[in-house]
Amino acid sequence: MATSSDGHGAVRGRPERGEGELCAGRVVVVTGAGRGLGRAHALAFAAEGARVVVNDLGVGADGAGGSDGPARQVADEITTAGGEAVAHTGDVATREGAASLVATALETFGRLDTLVNNAGFLRDRMLVNLDEDDWDAVMRVHLKGHFLPLRTAAAHWRAEARAGRPPVARVVNTSSGAGLLGSVGQGNYSAAKAGIVGLTLVAAAELGRYGVQVNAIAPAARTRMTERTFAEAMAAPREGEFDAMAPENVSPLVVWLGSAASDGVTGRVFEAEAGRITVMEGWRPGPTADRGARWAPAEAGAAARELLARTKEARPAYGAE
């Protein structure tokens, strides 16, 4: 197949489509797309007709080092299959990196339709051993690395809407079960992933008027970041068996959320693992006691215990059982 390359390293050709054309014509940015879940998402979007900006710093599982190899390898994999992709190796947790990420999509493909925030790494420690640098590093890559690309993309989409070109824009953020329940030894990661849920809810409420839908996933899959968690599932399944922990199992939901077909779905959090998809219902008011006046401390405690007896038992944090 003949291909041609533009100044941004994108190789254009006729894609050999996968199962459909759900994202035909859409331009999708995936951060942290050099390996694991991000790579699976990028390939799945390309298989559905999207043109993909593959972002990755190429760092280690703890954020150390860096290489442009992983991003370029995934972009090459897409173009070799006949798709359209460009590698971006900037740091999305910086204002400059986030700006160049969006600019790469616009300059290479002329538009931006979907942002998948996925970049991250781990610095696991028990709280009493967790130092400030490890806290800051994880907060930076996960939470700031979601905020800055989201803010930059949202500014573009708002400008488009105000210019009379309302987008059909989608954002898929990546939280975690650790962000929903907590995870022993991952105080920094759990806090960052919980923050991503809060950011998702606010962004969905604020950006809907501009044609932007924002959702989050809490995936479970076998990646560099989870290899210890899923150590027993690391071995490849026997021939004919379903690989329940393959990252590719999560991507179909992400692709659908990133497509125009997800119209009307926003401000939601989904768990995705193996062949299971769950809508997480989040915080809702439960049993309530109202005396119409101020409680004394002992009375407040008695009321709280009575209310707790009428609620479902809280699920424990991961690793606490």
Side-chain angles (χ1 to χ4, degrees), residues 274-288:
R276 178 175 59 85
I277 297 171
T278 303
V279 178
M280 305 304 288
E281 295 188 330
W283 294 103
R284 296 173 179 270
T288 301

Side-chain angles (χ1 to χ4, degrees), residues 90-254:
D91 183 355
V92 297
T94 67
R95 182 171 54 186
E96 296 77 14
S100 71
L101 178 70
V102 171
T104 296
L106 299 178
E107 293 170 6
T108 307
F109 299 123
R111 58 185 298 127
L112 172 61
D113 301 288
T114 298
L115 168 65
V116 179
N117 283 314
N118 171 77
F121 55 72
L122 295 177
R123 299 276 183 88
D124 291 354
R125 300 283 190 280
M126 300 298 276
L127 280 173
V128 294
N129 296 321
L130 182 61
D131 65 37
E132 187 176 358
D133 289 343
D134 290 334
W135 174 273
D136 289 345
V138 168
M139 282 292 179
R140 177 184 180 276
V141 68
H142 287 280
L143 197 48
K144 194 174 182 181
H146 271 62
F147 162 64
L148 288 173
L150 173 56
R151 184 185 68 173
T152 307
H156 165 70
W157 288 323
R158 181 182 65 177
E160 289 291 288
R162 288 178 172 177
R165 299 182 295 269
V168 181
R170 304 287 186 261
V171 178
V172 184
N173 291 330
T174 305
S175 183
S176 168
L180 303 178
L181 297 177
S183 179
V184 172
Q186 294 187 311
N188 49 2
Y189 178 74
S190 297
K193 290 302 191 182
I196 287 167
V197 172
L199 177 63
T200 298
L201 300 179
V202 172
E206 292 184 355
L207 301 179
R209 72 191 73 179
Y210 305 122
V212 184
Q213 293 182 182
V214 187
N215 294 284
I217 60 164
R222 184 179 56 249
T223 69
R224 291 187 307 163
M225 287 174 55
T226 61
E227 60 185 358
R228 286 181 295 176
T229 303
F230 299 121
E232 294 181 359
M234 285 298 290
R238 287 178 290 187
E239 185 175 355
E241 289 184 343
F242 174 47
D243 186 357
M245 299 314 301
E248 290 79 7
N249 298 333
V250 176
S251 299
L253 176 62
V254 175

Side-chain angles (χ1 to χ4, degrees), residues 281-284 286-287 306-316:
E281 295 188 330
W283 294 103
R284 296 173 179 270
E306 191 277 329
L307 294 174
L308 288 169
R310 292 158 47 194
T311 65
K312 295 181 180 178
E313 186 174 350
R315 292 172 60 185

